Amino acid sequence: MSSRDLLLAAAHEEFASRGYEGARVDAIAKKAGVNKQLVYHHFGNKEDLYGKVLESAYDGIRERERRLDLARLRPQTAMRRLIETSFDYLAENRDFVALLTDENLHKGKHMKRIVDIQRMNTPLLGTLDGILRRGAAEGVFRKGLDPLQVYVSIAGMGFFYFNNIYTLSAIFGQNLDSQEAIASRRRHVVDMLMHALRP
Amino acid sequence: MSSRDLLLAAAHEEFASRGYEGARVDAIAKKAGVNKQLVYHHFGNKEDLYGKVLESAYDGIRERERRLDLARLRPQTAMRRLIETSFDYLAENRDFVALLTDENLHKGKHMKRIVDIQRMNTPLLGTLDGILRRGAAEGVFRKGLDPLQVYVSIAGMGFFYFNNIYTLSAIFGQNLDSQEAIASRRRHVVDMLMHALRP
Amino acid sequence: MSSRDLLLAAAHEEFASRGYEGARVDAIAKKAGVNKQLVYHHFGNKEDLYGKVLESAYDGIRERERRLDLARLRPQTAMRRLIETSFDYLAENRDFVALLTDENLHKGKHMKRIVDIQRMNTPLLGTLDGILRRGAAEGVFRKGLDPLQVYVSIAGMGFFYFNNIYTLSAIFGQNLDSQEAIASRRRHVVDMLMHALRP
Amino acid sequence: MSSRDLLLAAAHEEFASRGYEGARVDAIAKKAGVNKQLVYHHFGNKEDLYGKVLESAYDGIRERERRLDLARLRPQTAMRRLIETSFDYLAENRDFVALLTDENLHKGKHMKRIVDIQRMNTPLLGTLDGILRRGAAEGVFRKGLDPLQVYVSIAGMGFFYFNNIYTLSAIFGQNLDSQEAIASRRRHVVDMLMHALRP
DNA sequence: AATGAATGAGTTTTCATTCAT
DNA sequence: TATGAATGAAAACTCATTCAT
């Protein structure tokens, strides 16, 4: 890997685990195994590096969504798979969850600076709209559901769980980060959402 | 207000809007209108102050939940009110959302240090359990629903929206922080969840 | 004990164990069990308190020396007792050793400010002079020994040992602070000095 | 000189003249003519810098002792030279005296942290042992003298004088820091110790 | 493309001292 | 004589960034 890519990966990790303010340029360089000055050489400064990390994180999710290919499935099957893979993506990409959250703490200021903001737009909304329409036509889903709201609900059911896993575990006195607990949450999420969409 | 309380309020605001690392002790003192050294006099250090802010934030939500008094209402009415007030609390207490998120970024390390962790345990779980049971008995709710999962779902539907309001607005190209957008989200959340609970 | 005396005793301990700069006014007040402001009430400020501590420490040693009453003893007996009691005083008053040393680190600036500096003058010099003269007349001690130099030698043989007990222990790889080690040093000091004074 | 060495030299001076607590990192950097942050870059923190200063101070005395080469001299000549050079070293290295004393005020805590504590062990003890044995065999020294005790006595006779030169001067009402006073002390020390070792 | 040394501006924290009562 | 709250000045330490090579 080029030193640029090494830095990007290291920065991704550091920003995700410590937040923008908590992240250390020194730590990023060390993690990447390269000289600190290269950060400035390749990315200008800490903030711009953060922007690049955000971009690449969104690239990742977009790429995944593009590969999903739900259009050819029956509405209920497609929906179930969408819910499941959304949940799984969050489960496996806690970094992404943390990054998103931190960016929101900063009121999205870095995103705004990203020129090609359209790159970030999820293509999923269109897919979801299609599934909902087909499902409504077939009579398996309710009519008039707003795909944006459904998308937010699907994401939120998993996001909140993973984003707040430490405080929830503390409050409820159980470890929500175990495999069983996550599997259990997954079943509940799928179940709840599929029920909610029924006519 | 005592200078201690002034500091606590100012710290709440500062930590919520900038996160733990981003928050400045200087800024907190200035906001509170007191001498910076009082922070150390009253709270020991920045981290312990953060802990106290967290505690008081949880006190706030517990207090609200205690006043809710849903036990005497019909199951569906109680559930609807619970969903609505949960959503509204998040809408009105963005600080709390930010604080929670930041604490999770730090893997809940400050919460763990809070001695009386039980104080934070939500009393809502018991109430929710009662509502679900009565609803199931009356045949208006599904049977066998785990109150913890339902609680997480209720909270998550609103939390994700407010926590990620900046990135979601950017991605979808619309301002989700408007009164109408929030009202619209509120309706969807209530609707989705009530549907999901039907037998 | 009056709060003033409590403070003086606490200050003695604190200054001896941490040095002037390392000592904390807060710690002194706490140790004395009184309000910190009383330090300022009774002593003006930290430096003047330090001066009072020094004075009282010297008072202690002068008092002890006054009680010694060596004039009536045979020269060799008197000398032996002087050496032994000097060594023992240092052994039992490490605080005094530390205080002296710290004052010298500050180039004796506090002593200079003590008005009644004469109070500190050791009366021992006269006594020692008498013993040396009588011993020389009797032929048991060498002639022409300077009592000041002898005094410094007597003190130095014990002082260096106790003052540097930690570094010496580390360098020599043995614990010089044990009862046996101290007893052994005591024998050596008496032996060496008595030998050195022989004609 | 590298900025690291400049800092070390400046720190040596500052710590010796003000003690650990009294020393200022700012002052050290200024004295060294470099940026304050280099202290942290090169040494981590104030305490570790202090440790390095101690180490280098001991290196200095060990180096000097190594060069002494007393083994080939007659016992009495060797002993006299050892006493004289020990005294002279203290006379010329007041910094070392102060550093030692301050380290003892802290109960040797920094020395304990120095990994290679053996580096500090004085090689003089072996030399001294040889001289004492040869002298005893030749009948010019007493038998059975413990080299460690003799070493401590030699060092103590000079150390106490220089370490306490301010308080002694004040108490005795004379300036012990004059060339004549020091020369006079030197003669006395040599004289006393040589006498003390006679059979 | 890469590096080690250096730095300015800030950040938390400490501490002797004073104020109001 | 006594106290709790408050403060100004300075201390150690941090960190993103730049310089010289």
Side-chain angles (χ1 to χ4, degrees):
Chain A
M1 258 208 293
S2 72
S3 64
R4 192 179 184 285
D5 289 346
L6 285 167
L7 278 169
L8 207 53
H12 183 99
E13 213 181 306
E14 175 80 359
F15 283 128
S17 67
R18 300 196 193 281
Y20 178 74
E21 322 279 352
R24 299 288 165 251
V25 175
D26 264 314
I28 292 169
K30 198 165 200 173
K31 230 177 261 183
V34 307
N35 187 277
K36 180 170 49 159
Q37 172 60 13
L38 281 188
V39 171
Y40 298 92
H41 187 272
H42 287 303
F43 301 97
N45 58 32
K46 185 183 179 181
E47 198 164 2
D48 287 352
L49 170 56
Y50 186 72
K52 290 293 180 199
V53 166
L54 264 184
E55 271 190 85
S56 78
Y58 272 102
D59 281 352
I61 197 171
R62 281 219 353 160
E63 178 54 26
R64 186 197 65 98
E65 291 175 349
R66 205 191 323 274
R67 279 201 308 269
L68 213 49
D69 191 26
L70 301 170
R72 294 174 308 185
L73 301 177
R74 305 286 310 273
Q76 281 176 309
T77 314
M79 181 61 74
R80 178 178 291 272
R81 180 168 306 171
L82 174 57
I83 295 168
E84 288 171 345
T85 56
S86 292
F87 185 89
D88 293 343
Y89 187 78
L90 296 176
E92 291 155 19
N93 293 80
R94 305 283 180 91
D95 278 6
F96 182 64
V97 171
L99 239 26
L100 262 191
T101 277
D102 194 58
E103 173 62 1
N104 277 285
L105 184 64
H106 294 93
K107 302 189 190 296
K109 69 182 274 212
H110 304 100
M111 281 192 78
K112 284 176 196 149
R113 290 179 39 179
I114 294 172
V115 188
D116 190 5
I117 191 72
Q118 285 312 86
R119 286 176 59 201
M120 303 208 159
N121 190 353
T122 175
L124 209 54
L125 225 47
T127 310
L128 185 56
D129 189 39
I131 296 171
L132 287 171
R133 281 178 197 281
R134 286 190 287 130
E138 289 186 21
V140 297
F141 292 154
R142 292 197 270 144
K143 289 182 185 167
L145 286 166
D146 179 351
L148 189 152
Q149 294 293 352
V150 173
Y151 176 84
V152 170
S153 295
I154 292 173
M157 297 278 277
F159 187 96
F160 176 67
Y161 184 81
F162 291 114
N163 187 63
N164 295 40
I165 203 159
Y166 295 103
T167 51
L168 290 173
S169 293
I171 288 178
F172 294 135
Q174 37 184 293
N175 176 23
L176 300 184
D177 208 353
S178 69
Q179 277 201 306
E180 311 90 79
I182 293 172
S184 173
R185 176 68 193 164
R186 189 180 193 265
R187 279 192 301 276
H188 171 84
V189 167
V190 174
D191 175 59
M192 281 287 276
L193 288 167
M194 293 306 288
H195 262 81
L197 297 175
R198 287 173 311 170
Chain B
M1 257 210 293
S2 72
S3 63
R4 192 180 183 286
D5 289 345
L6 286 167
L7 278 169
L8 208 52
H12 183 100
E13 214 181 305
E14 175 80 359
F15 283 128
S17 67
R18 300 196 192 281
Y20 178 72
E21 324 277 352
R24 297 289 166 250
V25 174
D26 264 318
I28 291 169
K30 200 163 203 172
K31 227 176 264 185
V34 307
N35 186 279
K36 175 173 52 157
Q37 282 55 247
L38 280 187
V39 170
Y40 298 94
H41 186 261
H42 286 304
F43 301 98
N45 57 36
K46 184 182 179 182
E47 196 164 2
D48 287 353
L49 170 56
Y50 186 72
K52 289 293 179 199
V53 166
L54 262 184
E55 270 190 86
S56 77
Y58 271 101
D59 281 352
I61 198 171
R62 279 216 2 157
E63 180 53 27
R64 186 198 64 98
E65 291 176 348
R66 207 191 323 275
R67 280 200 308 266
L68 214 49
D69 191 26
L70 301 170
R72 292 174 311 185
L73 301 177
R74 305 288 308 273
Q76 282 174 310
T77 315
M79 181 61 74
R80 177 178 294 272
R81 181 168 305 172
L82 174 56
I83 294 168
E84 288 171 345
T85 58
S86 293
F87 185 89
D88 293 343
Y89 187 78
L90 296 176
E92 291 156 19
N93 293 80
R94 305 283 180 90
D95 277 6
F96 183 65
V97 170
L99 238 28
L100 262 192
T101 278
D102 195 57
E103 173 63 1
N104 278 285
L105 183 64
H106 294 92
K107 302 187 189 299
K109 69 182 274 213
H110 304 100
M111 281 191 78
K112 283 177 198 148
R113 289 179 40 179
I114 294 172
V115 189
D116 192 5
I117 191 75
Q118 288 311 85
R119 287 175 58 202
M120 303 208 158
N121 190 350
T122 175
L124 208 55
L125 224 48
T127 309
L128 185 55
D129 188 40
I131 296 171
L132 287 170
R133 280 177 197 282
R134 286 189 288 129
E138 288 186 20
V140 298
F141 292 154
R142 292 196 272 144
K143 288 183 186 166
L145 286 165
D146 179 352
L148 190 151
Q149 295 292 353
V150 173
Y151 176 86
V152 170
S153 295
I154 293 173
M157 297 277 277
F159 187 96
F160 177 66
Y161 184 81
F162 291 113
N163 186 64
N164 295 37
I165 204 160
Y166 295 101
T167 50
L168 290 174
S169 293
I171 288 178
F172 296 136
Q174 40 183 291
N175 176 23
L176 300 184
D177 208 355
S178 69
Q179 275 200 309
E180 312 89 78
I182 293 172
S184 172
R185 176 69 193 162
R186 189 180 193 266
R187 277 193 302 276
H188 171 85
V189 167
V190 175
D191 175 59
M192 282 287 276
L193 288 167
M194 292 305 289
H195 261 81
L197 297 173
R198 287 173 311 171
Chain C
M1 255 207 298
S2 71
S3 66
R4 191 180 185 284
D5 290 346
L6 285 167
L7 278 169
L8 207 54
H12 182 100
E13 216 181 303
E14 176 80 359
F15 283 128
S17 67
R18 301 196 192 279
Y20 178 73
E21 321 279 351
R24 298 289 165 252
V25 174
D26 265 315
I28 292 169
K30 198 166 203 174
K31 230 177 259 184
V34 307
N35 186 277
K36 181 170 50 159
Q37 171 61 12
L38 281 187
V39 171
Y40 297 93
H41 187 270
H42 286 304
F43 301 98
N45 58 33
K46 185 185 181 182
E47 197 164 3
D48 288 351
L49 171 57
Y50 186 72
K52 291 292 180 199
V53 167
L54 263 185
E55 271 191 85
S56 78
Y58 272 103
D59 281 352
I61 197 171
R62 280 217 358 158
E63 179 55 27
R64 186 199 64 100
E65 291 177 346
R66 207 192 323 274
R67 278 200 311 267
L68 213 50
D69 193 25
L70 302 169
R72 293 174 312 185
L73 300 177
R74 303 288 308 274
Q76 283 174 308
T77 315
M79 182 60 75
R80 177 177 294 270
R81 180 166 309 170
L82 174 56
I83 296 168
E84 288 171 345
T85 57
S86 293
F87 185 90
D88 293 343
Y89 187 78
L90 296 176
E92 292 156 17
N93 294 79
R94 305 284 180 89
D95 277 7
F96 182 65
V97 170
L99 239 28
L100 261 191
T101 278
D102 194 58
E103 173 62 1
N104 277 285
L105 184 64
H106 295 92
K107 303 187 191 298
K109 70 182 274 211
H110 303 101
M111 280 191 77
K112 283 176 197 149
R113 290 180 39 179
I114 294 172
V115 189
D116 191 5
I117 188 75
Q118 286 312 87
R119 286 174 61 201
M120 301 207 159
N121 188 353
T122 174
L124 209 55
L125 225 47
T127 310
L128 184 56
D129 190 37
I131 296 170
L132 285 171
R133 279 178 198 281
R134 286 190 287 129
E138 287 185 22
V140 298
F141 291 155
R142 292 197 271 145
K143 288 182 185 165
L145 287 166
D146 179 352
L148 189 151
Q149 295 292 350
V150 173
Y151 176 84
V152 171
S153 296
I154 292 173
M157 297 278 277
F159 186 96
F160 176 66
Y161 183 81
F162 291 113
N163 187 64
N164 295 40
I165 203 158
Y166 295 102
T167 50
L168 291 174
S169 293
I171 288 178
F172 295 135
Q174 36 184 293
N175 176 23
L176 300 183
D177 209 354
S178 69
Q179 275 200 308
E180 312 90 78
I182 293 172
S184 173
R185 176 68 193 163
R186 189 181 193 264
R187 279 193 301 275
H188 172 85
V189 167
V190 174
D191 175 60
M192 282 287 277
L193 288 167
M194 293 305 288
H195 261 81
L197 297 174
R198 288 173 313 170
Chain D
M1 258 210 294
S2 72
S3 65
R4 193 180 183 283
D5 289 346
L6 286 168
L7 278 169
L8 207 54
H12 183 101
E13 214 181 306
E14 175 80 359
F15 283 128
S17 66
R18 300 196 193 280
Y20 178 73
E21 323 278 350
R24 298 289 165 249
V25 174
D26 264 317
I28 291 170
K30 200 164 204 173
K31 226 176 266 185
V34 308
N35 187 279
K36 175 173 53 156
Q37 282 56 247
L38 279 188
V39 170
Y40 298 95
H41 186 263
H42 286 304
F43 301 98
N45 59 34
K46 184 183 178 181
E47 197 164 2
D48 287 353
L49 171 56
Y50 186 74
K52 289 295 180 199
V53 166
L54 263 184
E55 271 190 87
S56 77
Y58 272 101
D59 281 353
I61 197 171
R62 280 217 0 159
E63 180 54 26
R64 187 198 63 98
E65 291 176 347
R66 209 192 321 275
R67 279 200 310 265
L68 214 49
D69 192 26
L70 301 169
R72 293 175 312 185
L73 301 177
R74 304 288 309 273
Q76 281 174 310
T77 315
M79 182 61 75
R80 178 178 292 271
R81 181 167 304 171
L82 173 56
I83 295 168
E84 288 171 346
T85 56
S86 293
F87 185 89
D88 293 343
Y89 187 79
L90 297 176
E92 292 156 16
N93 293 79
R94 305 283 180 90
D95 277 8
F96 182 65
V97 170
L99 237 28
L100 264 191
T101 279
D102 194 57
E103 173 62 1
N104 277 286
L105 183 64
H106 294 91
K107 301 189 191 298
K109 70 181 274 213
H110 304 100
M111 281 191 78
K112 283 177 197 146
R113 289 179 38 180
I114 294 172
V115 189
D116 191 4
I117 190 75
Q118 287 311 85
R119 286 175 59 201
M120 302 209 158
N121 190 350
T122 174
L124 209 54
L125 224 48
T127 310
L128 185 56
D129 190 39
I131 295 171
L132 287 170
R133 281 177 197 281
R134 286 189 288 130
E138 288 186 21
V140 298
F141 292 154
R142 292 196 270 145
K143 289 181 186 168
L145 287 165
D146 179 351
L148 188 151
Q149 294 291 351
V150 173
Y151 177 85
V152 170
S153 295
I154 292 172
M157 297 278 277
F159 187 96
F160 176 65
Y161 183 81
F162 291 114
N163 187 63
N164 295 41
I165 203 158
Y166 296 102
T167 51
L168 291 173
S169 293
I171 288 178
F172 295 137
Q174 36 182 294
N175 176 23
L176 299 183
D177 208 354
S178 69
Q179 277 201 309
E180 311 91 76
I182 293 172
S184 172
R185 176 70 193 163
R186 189 180 193 264
R187 278 191 302 277
H188 171 84
V189 168
V190 175
D191 175 58
M192 283 287 275
L193 287 168
M194 293 305 289
H195 263 81
L197 298 174
R198 286 172 312 169

